[in-house]
Amino acid sequence: MSPSLLPLPPPWQLRTWPDRSALLADRGRALEELRARSLGVHRVLLLWLLSLVAIIGWALLVLPLQQFEQGDPTRVVLGPIFAILGLASLAPPVVTVAVAVRRDRQIEQLLDAWLVLDSHPPTDARLRSPGLSLFWLLSSTVMCAIGLWASLAAVSGAEPGRGAHSDVVLGMGIGLILWLTGLLGIAKAVRHYRWALRVLGPAPAATPR
């Protein structure tokens, strides 16, 4: 496991909790920490920030094409520089997202390991996080819609002339990045819902007053 994550609970022969209340206290703290690291609002903000960095990188990559279409004489010198800067801006978001996906799998394994230690319904119920899951789902759906709109607008709004192709490429790329960002968020929300359903079971129905 990554050293930045909480450790697995010790095997039964090495457990030193004096009583069940101490075990439940450590278990509750570990589960809450893992829940925050998985579904915290800071994770959504980080995903959006990575999307912005990727958009900047894509725009830099498209600049050489725009210079070529417009006959810019500086394209020979500045074109390669913009291309290198674009690739340098695109690489960190891609790597970070790949690491985050792997980290989410590790968090899920840790959650399962801490859950099997005991059962405490009030603590376990908080792991469902319906509000955070809904926030992930709705915000990511909006992101997907914006990305789709940006892609379609780039194609439908293209006008013949210099720079037309590069404008379409730029708009389509930005739309694709936004769409993929939203898709990642939707997949995370759905995966958490399926995990909660598998491990915690269906949410209890509200008791009528």
Side-chain angles (χ1 to χ4, degrees):
M1 293 296 174
S2 170
S4 61
L5 292 177
L6 292 173
L8 284 165
W12 66 269
Q13 65 270 23
L14 298 179
R15 293 172 187 169
T16 58
W17 285 292
D19 50 36
R20 183 171 181 263
S21 60
L23 184 152
L24 289 178
D26 284 349
R27 177 181 178 273
R29 283 192 292 268
L31 291 175
E32 179 62 25
E33 177 69 17
L34 290 169
R35 182 185 73 91
R37 295 190 185 193
S38 176
L39 285 176
V41 176
H42 69 282
R43 292 291 303 275
V44 183
L45 299 178
L46 176 61
L47 184 61
W48 294 350
L49 178 61
L50 292 174
S51 174
L52 176 61
V53 174
I55 288 174
I56 293 173
W58 181 252
L60 289 171
L61 274 178
V62 175
L63 272 177
L65 177 59
Q66 291 177 332
Q67 289 180 315
F68 178 79
E69 286 186 337
Q70 296 171 2
D72 190 338
T74 64
R75 65 182 182 274
V76 177
V77 176
L78 296 181
I81 296 176
F82 288 139
I84 293 172
L85 290 174
L87 290 174
S89 299
L90 278 173
V94 173
V95 173
T96 304
V97 168
V99 171
V101 171
R102 181 181 177 184
R103 185 185 180 91
D104 283 341
R105 295 197 188 101
Q106 293 176 343
I107 289 176
E108 187 173 314
Q109 293 172 3
L110 286 171
L111 283 168
D112 291 340
W114 282 97
L115 276 169
V116 298
L117 287 179
D118 207 322
S119 176
H120 188 243
T123 299
D124 300 347
R126 288 198 296 269
L127 296 176
R128 298 182 187 278
S129 303
L132 281 174
S133 297
L134 185 61
F135 175 71
W136 272 87
L137 182 62
L138 294 181
S139 62
S140 299
T141 301
V142 171
M143 187 73 74
C144 276
I146 294 174
L148 183 60
W149 173 82
S151 298
L152 294 177
V155 175
S156 62
E159 298 179 358
R162 284 190 171 185
H165 293 90
S166 59
D167 289 343
V168 172
V169 171
L170 177 62
M172 288 288 291
I174 292 175
L176 180 62
I177 291 171
L178 293 175
W179 184 78
L180 288 175
T181 301
L183 197 62
L184 285 170
I186 291 174
K188 184 175 181 65
V190 172
R191 186 170 61 248
H192 175 76
Y193 172 78
R194 294 178 63 182
W195 173 85
L197 195 64
R198 172 177 61 84
V199 175
L200 305 175
T207 304
R209 295 184 179 181

